[in-house]
Amino acid sequence: MRIARFAKGDGVAYGVVEGESGQPQVIAELAGHPFGIDPAGVRVTGQRYPLSEVRLLAPVLPSKVIAVGKNYAEHAREMGDLFDQTQADEPVLFLKPSTSVTGPSDAIAYPVKLTERVDYEGELAVIIGRLCREVPKHRAEDVIFGYTCANDVTARDLQARDGQWTRAKGFDTFCPLGPWMETGTKPDNLGITTTVNGDVKQHARTSELLWDVPSLIEYVSSVMTLLPGDVILTGTPEGVGPLTDGDEVSVTIESIGTLTSKVVQRD
Ligand code: MG
């Protein structure tokens, strides 16, 4: 099931996206908030809207976005000096602020006065559905609400200069999420592709993740409590590169959808 969050009048609503891509799709509005409900028992209001006529918002407003560095071997290699070349025996974690999250209808704001190199990083995002901590791998599925596409936008020059990544990863709009949450897929072997202005820049399968989704849930939840709506970014494949003003960057994940963001210059 695909659950989107969208603007409705002065407010916000959730809805189930019906219909396949390339055909007319509609959103069936949900009664209430989707977290905590049994997906089999969702209630709809009876209101339906053409998908093309609603403004989709970020599918969640997380309390935190936990991101994983160096989770595809080829990407770890391409990053050279920014990463230790050896395979870490534990995942590398960092946080992106909740205010970096932006939706599938919004632009990536390129802060030209503060950085000269802003990169895309297409990633599979895991959305947590319930409060949890110390979740063993075999229970990971119980705490996952669904999956969406993410772009871990990064000011690469600041990442190298600062020695830690808070500023490089933390600008407003540097975490596009969307277009919706897919609740019915398995994360272990999904194709992931990033394009810039239609040219393929990254392509991999999530089966190549060094730390798979259950392992990441176990690891992250051994450190911090996860709240409903929290997001784990699973890392980017090789092929990262720069964006410029006016670019259109898309992250497509098999059986989830496509997240497209325009890049606009910001003072
Ligand atoms: Mg990343």
PDB file of all heavy atoms in Angstrom, residues 31-56:
ATOM      1  N   ALA A  31      -8.902   8.277   7.130  1.00  0.00           N
ATOM      2  CA  ALA A  31      -9.440   8.850   8.366  1.00  0.00           C
ATOM      3  C   ALA A  31      -8.347   8.734   9.426  1.00  0.00           C
ATOM      4  O   ALA A  31      -7.957   7.636   9.795  1.00  0.00           O
ATOM      5  CB  ALA A  31     -10.684   8.098   8.800  1.00  0.00           C
ATOM      6  N   GLY A  32      -7.814   9.848   9.859  1.00  0.00           N
ATOM      7  CA  GLY A  32      -6.814   9.827  10.922  1.00  0.00           C
ATOM      8  C   GLY A  32      -5.406   9.635  10.406  1.00  0.00           C
ATOM      9  O   GLY A  32      -5.122   9.757   9.217  1.00  0.00           O
ATOM     10  N   HIS A  33      -4.541   9.303  11.345  1.00  0.00           N
ATOM     11  CA  HIS A  33      -3.111   9.175  11.099  1.00  0.00           C
ATOM     12  C   HIS A  33      -2.779   7.718  10.817  1.00  0.00           C
ATOM     13  O   HIS A  33      -3.312   6.833  11.488  1.00  0.00           O
ATOM     14  CB  HIS A  33      -2.374   9.677  12.354  1.00  0.00           C
ATOM     15  CG  HIS A  33      -0.930   9.938  12.130  1.00  0.00           C
ATOM     16  ND1 HIS A  33      -0.012   8.921  12.025  1.00  0.00           N
ATOM     17  CD2 HIS A  33      -0.230  11.090  11.985  1.00  0.00           C
ATOM     18  CE1 HIS A  33       1.192   9.452  11.826  1.00  0.00           C
ATOM     19  NE2 HIS A  33       1.079  10.767  11.799  1.00  0.00           N
ATOM     20  N   PRO A  34      -1.916   7.450   9.841  1.00  0.00           N
ATOM     21  CA  PRO A  34      -1.690   6.036   9.489  1.00  0.00           C
ATOM     22  C   PRO A  34      -0.861   5.241  10.489  1.00  0.00           C
ATOM     23  O   PRO A  34      -0.957   4.020  10.543  1.00  0.00           O
ATOM     24  CB  PRO A  34      -0.972   6.119   8.139  1.00  0.00           C
ATOM     25  CG  PRO A  34      -0.307   7.454   8.141  1.00  0.00           C
ATOM     26  CD  PRO A  34      -1.204   8.362   8.949  1.00  0.00           C
ATOM     27  N   PHE A  35      -0.012   5.904  11.290  1.00  0.00           N
ATOM     28  CA  PHE A  35       0.850   5.142  12.196  1.00  0.00           C
ATOM     29  C   PHE A  35       0.020   4.470  13.282  1.00  0.00           C
ATOM     30  O   PHE A  35      -0.927   5.047  13.807  1.00  0.00           O
ATOM     31  CB  PHE A  35       1.909   6.025  12.832  1.00  0.00           C
ATOM     32  CG  PHE A  35       2.949   6.459  11.848  1.00  0.00           C
ATOM     33  CD1 PHE A  35       3.433   7.743  11.861  1.00  0.00           C
ATOM     34  CD2 PHE A  35       3.434   5.575  10.895  1.00  0.00           C
ATOM     35  CE1 PHE A  35       4.390   8.152  10.938  1.00  0.00           C
ATOM     36  CE2 PHE A  35       4.386   5.970   9.970  1.00  0.00           C
ATOM     37  CZ  PHE A  35       4.857   7.257   9.989  1.00  0.00           C
ATOM     38  N   GLY A  36       0.426   3.281  13.608  1.00  0.00           N
ATOM     39  CA  GLY A  36      -0.230   2.588  14.709  1.00  0.00           C
ATOM     40  C   GLY A  36      -1.466   1.818  14.283  1.00  0.00           C
ATOM     41  O   GLY A  36      -2.058   1.105  15.080  1.00  0.00           O
ATOM     42  N   ILE A  37      -1.860   1.953  13.012  1.00  0.00           N
ATOM     43  CA  ILE A  37      -3.037   1.201  12.588  1.00  0.00           C
ATOM     44  C   ILE A  37      -2.584  -0.079  11.900  1.00  0.00           C
ATOM     45  O   ILE A  37      -1.481  -0.173  11.391  1.00  0.00           O
ATOM     46  CB  ILE A  37      -3.926   1.997  11.610  1.00  0.00           C
ATOM     47  CG1 ILE A  37      -3.090   2.433  10.394  1.00  0.00           C
ATOM     48  CG2 ILE A  37      -4.592   3.166  12.298  1.00  0.00           C
ATOM     49  CD1 ILE A  37      -3.930   3.001   9.282  1.00  0.00           C
ATOM     50  N   ASP A  38      -3.433  -1.035  11.891  1.00  0.00           N
ATOM     51  CA  ASP A  38      -3.196  -2.256  11.140  1.00  0.00           C
ATOM     52  C   ASP A  38      -3.463  -1.926   9.670  1.00  0.00           C
ATOM     53  O   ASP A  38      -4.574  -1.523   9.321  1.00  0.00           O
ATOM     54  CB  ASP A  38      -4.167  -3.325  11.644  1.00  0.00           C
ATOM     55  CG  ASP A  38      -4.064  -4.596  10.825  1.00  0.00           C
ATOM     56  OD1 ASP A  38      -3.290  -4.625   9.857  1.00  0.00           O
ATOM     57  OD2 ASP A  38      -4.783  -5.543  11.169  1.00  0.00           O
ATOM     58  N   PRO A  39      -2.436  -2.060   8.797  1.00  0.00           N
ATOM     59  CA  PRO A  39      -2.653  -1.692   7.397  1.00  0.00           C
ATOM     60  C   PRO A  39      -3.871  -2.394   6.796  1.00  0.00           C
ATOM     61  O   PRO A  39      -4.521  -1.862   5.904  1.00  0.00           O
ATOM     62  CB  PRO A  39      -1.356  -2.139   6.709  1.00  0.00           C
ATOM     63  CG  PRO A  39      -0.338  -2.144   7.789  1.00  0.00           C
ATOM     64  CD  PRO A  39      -1.071  -2.508   9.062  1.00  0.00           C
ATOM     65  N   ALA A  40      -4.195  -3.555   7.321  1.00  0.00           N
ATOM     66  CA  ALA A  40      -5.363  -4.267   6.781  1.00  0.00           C
ATOM     67  C   ALA A  40      -6.667  -3.589   7.197  1.00  0.00           C
ATOM     68  O   ALA A  40      -7.717  -3.838   6.607  1.00  0.00           O
ATOM     69  CB  ALA A  40      -5.350  -5.716   7.261  1.00  0.00           C
ATOM     70  N   GLY A  41      -6.575  -2.746   8.237  1.00  0.00           N
ATOM     71  CA  GLY A  41      -7.807  -2.150   8.750  1.00  0.00           C
ATOM     72  C   GLY A  41      -7.911  -0.654   8.552  1.00  0.00           C
ATOM     73  O   GLY A  41      -8.588   0.024   9.311  1.00  0.00           O
ATOM     74  N   VAL A  42      -7.241  -0.118   7.512  1.00  0.00           N
ATOM     75  CA  VAL A  42      -7.291   1.328   7.316  1.00  0.00           C
ATOM     76  C   VAL A  42      -8.704   1.776   6.968  1.00  0.00           C
ATOM     77  O   VAL A  42      -9.447   1.068   6.285  1.00  0.00           O
ATOM     78  CB  VAL A  42      -6.334   1.819   6.198  1.00  0.00           C
ATOM     79  CG1 VAL A  42      -4.899   1.622   6.588  1.00  0.00           C
ATOM     80  CG2 VAL A  42      -6.648   1.169   4.884  1.00  0.00           C
ATOM     81  N   ARG A  43      -9.062   2.924   7.460  1.00  0.00           N
ATOM     82  CA  ARG A  43     -10.384   3.485   7.165  1.00  0.00           C
ATOM     83  C   ARG A  43     -10.209   4.681   6.249  1.00  0.00           C
ATOM     84  O   ARG A  43      -9.320   5.504   6.449  1.00  0.00           O
ATOM     85  CB  ARG A  43     -11.077   3.906   8.464  1.00  0.00           C
ATOM     86  CG  ARG A  43     -11.532   2.714   9.308  1.00  0.00           C
ATOM     87  CD  ARG A  43     -12.298   3.168  10.529  1.00  0.00           C
ATOM     88  NE  ARG A  43     -11.546   4.118  11.341  1.00  0.00           N
ATOM     89  CZ  ARG A  43     -11.915   5.370  11.580  1.00  0.00           C
ATOM     90  NH1 ARG A  43     -13.023   5.852  11.075  1.00  0.00           N
ATOM     91  NH2 ARG A  43     -11.178   6.155  12.346  1.00  0.00           N
ATOM     92  N   VAL A  44     -11.033   4.757   5.249  1.00  0.00           N
ATOM     93  CA  VAL A  44     -10.970   5.900   4.337  1.00  0.00           C
ATOM     94  C   VAL A  44     -12.210   6.766   4.558  1.00  0.00           C
ATOM     95  O   VAL A  44     -13.245   6.285   5.034  1.00  0.00           O
ATOM     96  CB  VAL A  44     -10.865   5.459   2.858  1.00  0.00           C
ATOM     97  CG1 VAL A  44      -9.524   4.801   2.595  1.00  0.00           C
ATOM     98  CG2 VAL A  44     -11.990   4.517   2.492  1.00  0.00           C
ATOM     99  N   THR A  45     -12.052   8.046   4.192  1.00  0.00           N
ATOM    100  CA  THR A  45     -13.152   8.978   4.457  1.00  0.00           C
ATOM    101  C   THR A  45     -14.204   8.956   3.355  1.00  0.00           C
ATOM    102  O   THR A  45     -15.308   9.459   3.537  1.00  0.00           O
ATOM    103  CB  THR A  45     -12.626  10.429   4.542  1.00  0.00           C
ATOM    104  OG1 THR A  45     -12.056  10.760   3.269  1.00  0.00           O
ATOM    105  CG2 THR A  45     -11.583  10.583   5.628  1.00  0.00           C
ATOM    106  N   GLY A  46     -13.835   8.403   2.202  1.00  0.00           N
ATOM    107  CA  GLY A  46     -14.728   8.476   1.050  1.00  0.00           C
ATOM    108  C   GLY A  46     -14.339   9.589   0.092  1.00  0.00           C
ATOM    109  O   GLY A  46     -14.778   9.623  -1.048  1.00  0.00           O
ATOM    110  N   GLN A  47     -13.472  10.510   0.572  1.00  0.00           N
ATOM    111  CA  GLN A  47     -12.970  11.584  -0.295  1.00  0.00           C
ATOM    112  C   GLN A  47     -11.845  11.035  -1.168  1.00  0.00           C
ATOM    113  O   GLN A  47     -10.932  10.380  -0.672  1.00  0.00           O
ATOM    114  CB  GLN A  47     -12.406  12.729   0.551  1.00  0.00           C
ATOM    115  CG  GLN A  47     -13.443  13.495   1.326  1.00  0.00           C
ATOM    116  CD  GLN A  47     -14.065  14.599   0.455  1.00  0.00           C
ATOM    117  OE1 GLN A  47     -13.886  14.619  -0.746  1.00  0.00           O
ATOM    118  NE2 GLN A  47     -14.801  15.492   1.082  1.00  0.00           N
ATOM    119  N   ARG A  48     -11.913  11.313  -2.455  1.00  0.00           N
ATOM    120  CA  ARG A  48     -10.849  10.889  -3.366  1.00  0.00           C
ATOM    121  C   ARG A  48     -10.457  12.068  -4.243  1.00  0.00           C
ATOM    122  O   ARG A  48     -11.306  12.854  -4.648  1.00  0.00           O
ATOM    123  CB  ARG A  48     -11.335   9.734  -4.250  1.00  0.00           C
ATOM    124  CG  ARG A  48     -11.606   8.467  -3.445  1.00  0.00           C
ATOM    125  CD  ARG A  48     -12.569   7.569  -4.191  1.00  0.00           C
ATOM    126  NE  ARG A  48     -11.951   6.952  -5.356  1.00  0.00           N
ATOM    127  CZ  ARG A  48     -11.302   5.799  -5.316  1.00  0.00           C
ATOM    128  NH1 ARG A  48     -11.198   5.144  -4.179  1.00  0.00           N
ATOM    129  NH2 ARG A  48     -10.775   5.296  -6.394  1.00  0.00           N
ATOM    130  N   TYR A  49      -9.157  12.170  -4.491  1.00  0.00           N
ATOM    131  CA  TYR A  49      -8.638  13.289  -5.276  1.00  0.00           C
ATOM    132  C   TYR A  49      -7.724  12.746  -6.375  1.00  0.00           C
ATOM    133  O   TYR A  49      -6.954  11.810  -6.116  1.00  0.00           O
ATOM    134  CB  TYR A  49      -7.802  14.235  -4.395  1.00  0.00           C
ATOM    135  CG  TYR A  49      -8.504  14.692  -3.149  1.00  0.00           C
ATOM    136  CD1 TYR A  49      -8.356  13.993  -1.947  1.00  0.00           C
ATOM    137  CD2 TYR A  49      -9.305  15.828  -3.157  1.00  0.00           C
ATOM    138  CE1 TYR A  49      -9.004  14.410  -0.798  1.00  0.00           C
ATOM    139  CE2 TYR A  49      -9.953  16.254  -2.002  1.00  0.00           C
ATOM    140  CZ  TYR A  49      -9.790  15.537  -0.831  1.00  0.00           C
ATOM    141  OH  TYR A  49     -10.429  15.952   0.307  1.00  0.00           O
ATOM    142  N   PRO A  50      -7.761  13.339  -7.571  1.00  0.00           N
ATOM    143  CA  PRO A  50      -6.764  12.957  -8.580  1.00  0.00           C
ATOM    144  C   PRO A  50      -5.368  13.300  -8.049  1.00  0.00           C
ATOM    145  O   PRO A  50      -5.155  14.409  -7.544  1.00  0.00           O
ATOM    146  CB  PRO A  50      -7.118  13.826  -9.794  1.00  0.00           C
ATOM    147  CG  PRO A  50      -8.522  14.282  -9.556  1.00  0.00           C
ATOM    148  CD  PRO A  50      -8.692  14.356  -8.064  1.00  0.00           C
ATOM    149  N   LEU A  51      -4.455  12.346  -8.148  1.00  0.00           N
ATOM    150  CA  LEU A  51      -3.095  12.563  -7.624  1.00  0.00           C
ATOM    151  C   LEU A  51      -2.457  13.795  -8.253  1.00  0.00           C
ATOM    152  O   LEU A  51      -1.732  14.544  -7.598  1.00  0.00           O
ATOM    153  CB  LEU A  51      -2.244  11.317  -7.901  1.00  0.00           C
ATOM    154  CG  LEU A  51      -0.821  11.326  -7.357  1.00  0.00           C
ATOM    155  CD1 LEU A  51      -0.814  11.412  -5.841  1.00  0.00           C
ATOM    156  CD2 LEU A  51      -0.067  10.078  -7.818  1.00  0.00           C
ATOM    157  N   SER A  52      -2.765  14.008  -9.529  1.00  0.00           N
ATOM    158  CA  SER A  52      -2.138  15.128 -10.256  1.00  0.00           C
ATOM    159  C   SER A  52      -2.609  16.482  -9.720  1.00  0.00           C
ATOM    160  O   SER A  52      -1.996  17.509 -10.009  1.00  0.00           O
ATOM    161  CB  SER A  52      -2.466  15.027 -11.741  1.00  0.00           C
ATOM    162  OG  SER A  52      -3.877  14.975 -11.921  1.00  0.00           O
ATOM    163  N   GLU A  53      -3.671  16.480  -8.918  1.00  0.00           N
ATOM    164  CA  GLU A  53      -4.203  17.768  -8.446  1.00  0.00           C
ATOM    165  C   GLU A  53      -3.883  18.062  -6.983  1.00  0.00           C
ATOM    166  O   GLU A  53      -4.316  19.077  -6.449  1.00  0.00           O
ATOM    167  CB  GLU A  53      -5.730  17.803  -8.653  1.00  0.00           C
ATOM    168  CG  GLU A  53      -6.081  17.913 -10.127  1.00  0.00           C
ATOM    169  CD  GLU A  53      -7.574  17.851 -10.392  1.00  0.00           C
ATOM    170  OE1 GLU A  53      -8.360  18.116  -9.453  1.00  0.00           O
ATOM    171  OE2 GLU A  53      -7.930  17.514 -11.534  1.00  0.00           O
ATOM    172  N   VAL A  54      -3.162  17.149  -6.331  1.00  0.00           N
ATOM    173  CA  VAL A  54      -2.809  17.431  -4.936  1.00  0.00           C
ATOM    174  C   VAL A  54      -1.316  17.728  -4.830  1.00  0.00           C
ATOM    175  O   VAL A  54      -0.523  17.313  -5.682  1.00  0.00           O
ATOM    176  CB  VAL A  54      -3.161  16.266  -3.970  1.00  0.00           C
ATOM    177  CG1 VAL A  54      -4.633  15.930  -4.048  1.00  0.00           C
ATOM    178  CG2 VAL A  54      -2.292  15.062  -4.223  1.00  0.00           C
ATOM    179  N   ARG A  55      -0.984  18.457  -3.781  1.00  0.00           N
ATOM    180  CA  ARG A  55       0.419  18.760  -3.528  1.00  0.00           C
ATOM    181  C   ARG A  55       0.929  17.785  -2.476  1.00  0.00           C
ATOM    182  O   ARG A  55       0.494  17.821  -1.323  1.00  0.00           O
ATOM    183  CB  ARG A  55       0.554  20.204  -3.044  1.00  0.00           C
ATOM    184  CG  ARG A  55       1.968  20.635  -2.812  1.00  0.00           C
ATOM    185  CD  ARG A  55       2.068  22.158  -2.695  1.00  0.00           C
ATOM    186  NE  ARG A  55       3.460  22.535  -2.532  1.00  0.00           N
ATOM    187  CZ  ARG A  55       4.062  22.604  -1.349  1.00  0.00           C
ATOM    188  NH1 ARG A  55       3.377  22.366  -0.248  1.00  0.00           N
ATOM    189  NH2 ARG A  55       5.334  22.925  -1.265  1.00  0.00           N
ATOM    190  N   LEU A  56       1.835  16.903  -2.920  1.00  0.00           N
ATOM    191  CA  LEU A  56       2.373  15.919  -1.979  1.00  0.00           C
ATOM    192  C   LEU A  56       3.386  16.583  -1.060  1.00  0.00           C
ATOM    193  O   LEU A  56       4.197  17.414  -1.494  1.00  0.00           O
ATOM    194  CB  LEU A  56       3.047  14.766  -2.734  1.00  0.00           C
ATOM    195  CG  LEU A  56       2.136  13.862  -3.563  1.00  0.00           C
ATOM    196  CD1 LEU A  56       2.952  12.750  -4.223  1.00  0.00           C
ATOM    197  CD2 LEU A  56       1.024  13.265  -2.711  1.00  0.00           C
TER     198      LEU A  56
END
